[in-house]
Amino acid sequence: MKNLLFLSIFCLFILPFAGLKAQNTSSTELAKKIEKHEFSFVATSMKPLKGPSRNLNSLYDVVVKKDTVISYLPFIGVSRLAPMSNEEAGIKINSQKFEYLVTDNKGDNWTVQIKFNDQPEIREFYFTIFDNGTANLDVKGTYRDPISFRGFVK
C-alpha cells in the first residue's frame, strides 16, 4: 500500500516536470550574448490580444545577430492587411535595418527593444530576458493586433 501511495505521488508531482530542461546558460554568458547582439529566442507559448494562451509544439524562433534579425513566429489575431499567400502568413522577418537598444535592469532581467526600419508590417520586438534564460517577447505590428510570446533564450 505504501508503494502504491509513493508511486501515485511520484506520478502526480514529479513526472509533469520531467520534460523540462534546465538552461545551461549562466547569467554572465547570457549578458554577453545580449550585449553582443548574438542570441536566439525560442517560443514555447503565445498569447494573442484576444483569446487564451496557446502552447507551441513546433519550433518557432527569433535569431538576433549583430547585422540581422530573422524570425519565424505564428500569428493569431486581427490583421488589417491580408497576406497574399501562406508564405506571408505569420511573423516572418529577415531584417538588416533595425535599431537595437538594450537596458540592463540591474536586477534579474534585461530589456531589448528592436525597432525595424525595413519591415512595413512589424514595427518592433520588445524582449524581457530574465537571468535564468526565460524570456517574454511582445510584438507590435502596423496592421496587426499585438501578440506576446514566452520562451527561452539560448
Side-chain angles (χ1 to χ4, degrees):
M1 188 69 177
K2 281 185 178 180
N3 289 341
L4 182 60
L5 179 65
F6 176 74
L7 182 60
S8 49
I9 289 173
F10 180 78
C11 289
L12 284 174
F13 295 106
I14 304 300
L15 286 181
F17 300 103
L20 297 177
K21 60 180 181 180
Q23 299 299 314
N24 294 333
T25 307
S26 72
S27 181
T28 55
E29 290 175 11
L30 191 58
K32 287 178 186 176
K33 287 181 180 184
I34 293 168
E35 292 295 331
K36 290 172 131 181
H37 308 189
E38 296 281 339
F39 67 90
S40 296
F41 168 80
V42 178
T44 56
S45 67
M46 64 185 229
K47 174 72 173 101
L49 182 64
K50 299 173 186 172
S53 294
R54 299 169 189 210
N55 290 328
L56 300 174
N57 296 330
S58 298
L59 179 65
Y60 294 104
D61 64 350
V62 178
V63 178
V64 177
K65 297 192 178 199
K66 198 149 198 80
D67 60 347
T68 308
V69 175
I70 301 170
S71 77
Y72 178 71
L73 297 169
F75 177 77
I76 294 178
V78 176
S79 177
R80 289 156 217 37
L81 183 66
M84 294 299 194
S85 67
N86 285 341
E87 286 88 31
E88 296 174 6
I91 303 169
K92 297 175 183 164
I93 292 177
N94 188 346
S95 175
Q96 286 80 34
K97 296 180 182 178
F98 58 91
E99 299 170 31
Y100 185 95
L101 176 66
V102 63
T103 305
D104 185 354
N105 295 326
K106 301 294 182 196
D108 61 348
N109 67 59
W110 298 266
T111 54
V112 176
Q113 184 177 14
I114 299 174
K115 290 185 179 181
F116 297 102
N117 299 323
D118 60 351
Q119 300 296 316
E121 292 186 32
I122 303 297
R123 288 192 323 236
E124 71 178 17
F125 284 175
Y126 189 86
F127 293 92
T128 304
I129 303 171
F130 299 94
D131 62 356
N132 65 357
T134 61
N136 298 329
L137 168 61
D138 296 317
V139 179
K140 294 180 184 171
T142 307
Y143 305 111
R144 300 178 182 197
D145 282 348
I147 189 167
S148 298
F149 296 90
R150 287 187 177 201
F152 60 91
V153 170
K154 61 178 188 173

